[in-house]
Amino acid sequence: MTQPVANTAVPQPGPLYRLQQKFASTSVAAKIVAGLLILVAWELGVTFFAPKFVARPTNIIAVFPDVITEPEFIEATLSTLFAVLQGLLIALVSGTIIGIAMGRVKVFDRLLNVYINGFYTMPMIAVLPLLTIWFGYEDSARLATIVFAAFFSIAINARDGARSVPPEYLEVARAYRARQRDVWFDITFMSSLPYLVAGFRLAAGRALVGAVIAEFFVSLPGLGMYILSHTRSFAHNEAVVGVLMLAAFGLLFEATMNGVMRRFFPWYRREDRKD
Amino acid sequence: MSQAASNLVHTVSGTGTSADDPSSAPTRIAISGAGKKYGELQVFKDINLTFGNGEIVTVVGPSGCGKTTLLRCIDGLIPLSEGEVKIEGSPINGPREGVAMVFQHFGLFPWKTVYQNVAYGLKLARHPAAEIKEKVPYFINLVGLSGFETAFPYQLSGGMQQRCGLARALAMEPHVLLMDEPFAAVDAQTREILQFELLKIWELRPLTMVFVTHSIEEAVLMGHRVVVLKGRPSGVHEVIDVDLPAPRDRGTLGHPRFTEVREHVWSTLMDEVRAAEFEV
Ligand SMILES: Nc1ncnc2c1ncn2[C@@H]1O[C@H](COP(=O)(O)OP(=O)(O)OP(=O)(O)O)[C@@H](O)[C@H]1O
Ligand SMILES: [Mg+2]
């Protein structure tokens, strides 16, 4: 029955609040300071409490230049990156088409919705053994896993977007005698875009997971495999560089998405800034 | 009269010159025996109205009496349950050329710039690119949005958004403009400015306007006639001639006749509003 003491609805503009504001408007310098603090904590934690083979920042930094110039590592990175991009592209095109069709055509929705939702919630690792047998222990098994991982979140979001096209837009289109084709490509697609972007973001994360897991299973020369083999041979610092590269993929993806949206869809996300 | 017109004009072309000539076809829109049902709900019934060439008719009535529904039926967005609407003599069974609508919800596409929104109808109607390039800036200028061609709707105020919606409709160069509470969502000052600008635009190119509004002042200021819808299901309760001198402008508001007509419309409507209040 204890009441939280300092928790008021309106933040008081005290010194703490101002500090918070300062960090909310994150300068790059503040981010770097935060990163350095994490590294120091990690280094100290490992030094005092962990066995010798646990990776620590100083050791990782020491191997970093060698690893990222090593042909094996570069090959692994490119292999995973291209597989993910390829799989995402396939999932994006097919998921968008099928999702929008489900959202706008009742029959499709009735037929497919159960399966799409079912597969979406099912952990993809469960089908991986099957995929490896069906597609063989090669690249195509990894690609299939990535597509499988990414497809459903894209389709589900595209469906939701297409279903929530504001009726006002459709009314205007009809009043100006838009043809069916124009309604699909202009109104339905464009007003679903925020949903498509959300689905694609989700799908990118899942695709990366799918790629790494597939590499664990199939032993393809990708980052997942690189991390696994270096972990097993106790080259933990090298393995961590692989992990960091995967994290960099995520950041790269976000930056690219933001750039693309700003460049090609400048109206996107601006609506909620009206007041 | 409308009978004769319907017999004469059977070409689908919305640009028939005979229809532009007031002497041969003074009736632009003829509504006869119109009724609309949504399932069990009879919204209005037995509406008979004719709108002349270049006439501004305003429609007032309590909320929910079917004003928007009536406009949708005139535009052909939804079908009537009974009766028919004829525009330039031919029955309406879908949106057609020569008729444009301005929506209460603006209906601008957030992913299109002002220019692209205004060009929307022209593009769909496959007007030649050169013509679009010429017309769009003209109408953007007409509604006072020059300089905002590349702005997106989120960058516009409510009044500017409605100007954009108006330009999009005007760019079609319609003979009939249907307006559903176009200024309801803008502030009082902007509303007044827009009203007088619309009147000026109408002076430039007089077209038939059906103007739905909640504001009695606006109805009397803009309308050559005011149609009062009333009842449940609603019907035309009264059609009031507004015999105010042209052109309508700020001076109209001070005209003694303006006050008289406004009071008349007000008391006609208020009976209904009071009755509705007691019903609830
Ligand atoms: N698509 C629809 N399906 C069923 N009922 C509808 C539909 N559209 C409108 N109605 C009903 O028809 C009646 C008239 O609606 P309408 O929108 O035409 O009223 P209105 O006079 O324009 O009201 P307001 O002044 O509030 O805009 C209302 O009772 C409404 O609930
Ligand atoms: Mg309405």
Side-chain angles (χ1 to χ4, degrees):
Chain A
M1 286 302 287
T2 47
Q3 294 284 324
V5 192
N7 202 354
T8 48
V10 183
Q12 299 299 308
L16 196 67
Y17 175 74
R18 257 179 282 135
L19 198 69
Q20 223 172 312
Q21 285 294 298
K22 224 174 206 168
F23 272 95
S25 60
T26 47
S27 62
V28 178
K31 280 180 191 163
I32 290 173
V33 169
L36 286 177
L37 284 176
I38 293 172
L39 291 181
V40 169
W42 179 0
E43 183 79 32
L44 293 176
V46 173
T47 315
F48 293 113
F49 305 109
K52 277 220 161 48
F53 56 81
V54 174
R56 60 176 74 187
T58 42
N59 293 345
I60 295 165
I61 291 165
V63 300
F64 192 82
D66 288 340
V67 173
I68 61 164
T69 48
E70 173 189 15
E72 188 200 350
F73 182 82
I74 292 170
E75 217 169 275
T77 303
L78 291 180
S79 164
T80 301
L81 184 63
F82 282 129
V84 168
L85 290 180
Q86 202 184 345
L88 268 180
L89 191 68
I90 295 170
L92 182 64
V93 173
S94 58
T96 303
I97 291 172
I98 290 175
I100 288 186
M102 280 170 67
R104 296 308 313 174
V105 187
K106 275 220 173 76
V107 196
F108 285 139
D109 201 38
R110 296 250 167 80
L111 291 176
L112 297 176
N113 197 17
V114 179
Y115 303 107
I116 301 257
N117 272 302
F119 278 116
Y120 173 68
T121 33
M122 191 195 64
M124 86 198 107
I125 194 165
V127 288
L128 196 52
L130 285 172
L131 290 181
T132 52
I133 290 176
W134 293 342
F135 288 89
Y137 280 81
E138 48 185 299
D139 279 2
S140 48
R142 175 173 63 182
L143 187 63
T145 313
I146 294 169
V147 173
F148 189 88
F151 173 81
F152 297 101
S153 54
I154 290 173
I156 283 177
N157 276 277
R159 167 184 176 272
D160 287 348
R163 276 166 73 100
S164 53
V165 177
E168 291 88 33
Y169 298 164
L170 298 173
E171 185 177 41
V172 173
R174 195 162 138 59
Y176 284 93
R177 309 197 302 157
R179 285 162 293 269
Q180 204 54 39
R181 196 179 56 99
D182 298 309
V183 174
W184 279 91
F185 285 99
D186 194 6
I187 314 292
T188 307
F189 179 77
M190 291 305 272
S191 80
S192 304
L193 200 75
Y195 289 81
L196 295 177
V197 170
F200 190 55
R201 285 216 159 96
L202 211 59
R206 290 170 66 107
L208 209 53
V209 174
V212 172
I213 292 178
E215 285 166 9
F216 283 176
F217 259 79
V218 189
S219 307
L220 291 169
L223 272 181
M225 191 56 216
Y226 182 93
I227 292 165
L228 189 66
S229 60
H230 284 77
T231 306
R232 283 184 178 152
S233 55
F234 283 87
H236 288 191
N237 297 315
E238 285 79 356
V240 170
V241 177
V243 172
L244 290 178
M245 188 48 105
L246 286 174
F249 279 7
L251 294 178
L252 186 75
F253 175 80
E254 272 305 304
T256 313
M257 282 294 278
N258 288 338
V260 167
M261 295 313 286
R262 252 198 300 277
R263 172 78 182 73
F264 295 103
F265 307 101
W267 53 274
Y268 175 75
R269 287 248 167 153
R270 302 296 166 87
E271 271 173 301
D272 46 15
R273 280 189 223 163
K274 224 178 243 168
D275 33 20
Chain B
M1 189 96 73
S2 66
Q3 202 67 30
S6 74
N7 289 339
L8 278 174
V9 188
H10 262 298
T11 43
V12 193
S13 143
T15 50
T17 40
S18 69
D20 276 341
D21 178 6
S23 60
S24 77
T27 303
R28 188 65 92 178
I29 309 173
I31 305 172
S32 48
K36 178 67 189 177
K37 272 185 186 157
Y38 284 118
E40 286 294 286
L41 176 75
Q42 178 93 44
V43 181
F44 55 77
K45 68 171 191 193
D46 211 22
I47 289 186
N48 297 287
L49 284 170
T50 54
F51 305 115
N53 237 340
E55 189 184 21
I56 304 180
V57 177
T58 49
V59 180
V60 293
S63 194
C65 75
K67 303 181 295 295
T68 299
T69 306
L70 182 62
L71 274 196
R72 286 205 179 112
C73 290
I74 297 174
D75 197 39
L77 285 167
I78 50 174
L80 282 167
S81 310
E82 304 113 37
E84 66 173 353
V85 176
K86 282 181 174 175
I87 294 186
E88 282 142 29
S90 52
I92 287 295
N93 45 24
R96 49 168 289 178
E97 211 186 322
V99 183
M101 185 137 159
V102 175
F103 298 87
Q104 181 177 356
H105 52 69
F106 305 160
L108 299 180
F109 299 118
W111 55 87
K112 291 184 192 296
T113 61
V114 167
Y115 186 97
Q116 290 165 333
N117 268 297
V118 174
Y120 183 67
L122 296 173
K123 278 223 173 102
L124 284 179
R126 303 249 161 95
H127 285 247
E131 191 192 317
I132 294 177
K133 240 187 206 159
E134 198 180 310
K135 275 186 183 169
V136 172
Y138 172 79
F139 285 99
I140 288 177
N141 184 38
L142 189 68
V143 300
L145 274 183
S146 316
F148 289 91
E149 286 82 358
T150 56
F152 287 95
Y154 79 91
Q155 295 166 312
L156 304 179
S157 69
M160 289 159 87
Q161 291 185 25
Q162 194 52 293
R163 285 166 200 264
C164 183
L166 183 62
R168 177 174 64 185
L170 289 174
M172 301 304 287
E173 297 184 271
H175 306 173
V176 175
L177 189 59
L178 307 171
M179 307 190 87
D180 188 9
E181 302 190 33
F183 308 142
V186 301
D187 65 274
Q189 286 88 342
T190 309
R191 180 183 193 132
E192 224 171 77
I193 293 166
L194 289 175
Q195 285 168 350
F196 292 115
E197 278 179 11
L198 185 62
L199 284 170
K200 258 189 243 148
I201 291 171
W202 180 85
E203 299 280 343
L204 272 178
R205 38 176 76 227
L207 37 71
T208 306
M209 238 195 272
V210 183
F211 192 108
V212 168
T213 174
H214 260 126
S215 155
I216 295 170
E217 292 240 332
E218 185 168 78
V220 177
L221 171 69
M222 311 279 301
H224 302 150
R225 287 188 295 157
V226 180
V227 173
V228 181
L229 293 181
K230 244 175 119 166
R232 196 170 287 244
S234 66
V236 177
H237 178 76
E238 206 180 335
V239 180
I240 299 155
D241 276 304
V242 186
D243 44 358
L244 286 165
R248 307 279 176 93
D249 51 27
R250 289 201 62 84
T252 309
L253 293 171
H255 203 281
R257 184 78 189 128
F258 175 81
T259 322
E260 270 174 47
V261 180
R262 191 189 61 199
E263 289 310 304
H264 179 78
V265 178
W266 189 83
S267 57
T268 313
L269 260 173
M270 269 319 175
D271 294 344
E272 174 86 359
V273 173
R274 275 197 212 104
E277 261 174 12
F278 284 118
E279 213 169 276
V280 180

